[in-house]
Amino acid sequence: MSGRMGTQFRGKLADAYGQRGSYNSNLWYVYSPRTSRDWVLKSDLEWDHFVLAESDPTIKDIDYSPAPLRERLDDGRIYETTLDATVIHTDDSIEWREIKYAEPSSRKEESRNRLQQEAQSKAARRAGVAYTRWTEHEIRSNFQKLTNWRRIVVWLAATRERSLATYQTDIACFLDRRHTVTLGEIEDQWGEPAFPLYAAALFRSLQQGSYLSDLDIRPLSRLTQISVLRGET
């Protein structure tokens, strides 16, 4: 079994190398706490999109490696293309995402992008789903949020073999009494040895949209604030 898994993984890496385009970007092998599985990402921009998607509480599920699509272009040609992500939101709406640098690296890349966009948008209309193209302008618009969640997804990955349910329940009770707490107060409450798991449980709850935080505007630290949602007690 391990040999077949290794062969499959090498195949995924080879495919990802072939799909990197003209930018020769880094490949990222990542663990997604949201989907509880590993993925191969084809560029630094896809890594930043991954971080942003993992932080988004409106996302219920996401596929970072959708199956290829085949669509007939306006000139009659059949074009095969692959999206970068398929998103299922908490309201069960579906969004197909393509991730692209704002400026193509060459005329060949620009032509390919146009054909790709035509095929993907036509396929999305036929499937009745939303289609969006994300560039570095949208993905990297909030540097502080990205910086914080890059740390958080790594933190969560370190606890991938642990159940966090009990820790999440403890934090929910703590917040029910206090309404707003800091990471430092969580560490003080349960002690330094247990803090990594309690922090991971808190981050998982933030990922699920259970609480509010100031991670979009302030650096992750002991002073990071977490609050119950408005209307909750």
Side-chain angles (χ1 to χ4, degrees), residues 47-135:
W47 155 247
D48 283 343
H49 169 266
F50 165 82
V51 171
L52 201 64
E54 291 293 307
S55 75
D56 187 347
T58 71
I59 292 178
K60 181 169 67 175
D61 196 12
I62 185 166
D63 183 347
Y64 293 104
S65 184
L69 302 168
R70 289 173 61 85
E71 187 64 35
R72 187 180 298 277
L73 302 178
D74 291 340
D75 61 10
R77 286 182 294 166
I78 300 298
Y79 189 83
E80 183 170 288
T81 181
T82 304
L83 294 155
D84 291 311
T86 299
V87 177
I88 301 177
H89 292 281
T90 52
D91 63 1
D92 291 325
S93 63
I94 298 174
E95 177 189 357
W96 288 0
R97 291 184 180 179
E98 177 65 22
I99 300 164
K100 279 285 180 286
Y101 287 93
E103 298 297 329
S105 61
S106 65
R107 289 186 177 180
K108 181 179 179 181
E109 188 81 13
E110 183 178 6
S111 176
R112 177 178 177 273
N113 288 353
R114 284 198 301 268
L115 293 175
Q116 189 180 57
Q117 184 170 8
E118 179 187 340
Q120 291 175 348
S121 59
K122 287 186 69 175
R125 287 195 299 271
R126 187 161 51 82
V129 301
Y131 172 66
T132 57
R133 289 173 73 87
W134 292 57
T135 72

Side-chain angles (χ1 to χ4, degrees), residues 15-43:
D15 289 343
Y17 268 110
Q19 295 171 19
R20 288 183 302 166
S22 302
Y23 292 94
N24 293 325
S25 300
N26 295 320
L27 289 180
W28 292 82
Y29 181 58
V30 299
Y31 173 76
S32 161
R34 185 174 298 286
T35 63
S36 300
R37 57 165 292 186
D38 300 306
W39 301 90
V40 178
L41 308 176
K42 302 187 295 291
S43 70

Side-chain angles (χ1 to χ4, degrees), residues 127-167:
V129 301
Y131 172 66
T132 57
R133 289 173 73 87
W134 292 57
T135 72
E136 66 266 34
H137 300 315
E138 294 85 21
I139 295 171
R140 294 171 175 166
S141 62
N142 189 333
F143 180 75
Q144 187 61 70
K145 181 177 183 177
L146 272 178
T147 299
N148 289 337
W149 279 90
R150 284 169 186 154
R151 295 175 60 189
I152 289 170
V153 295
V154 173
W155 197 314
L156 287 172
T159 63
R160 61 186 295 175
E161 303 299 333
R162 297 291 299 265
S163 171
L164 299 175
T166 300
Y167 302 95

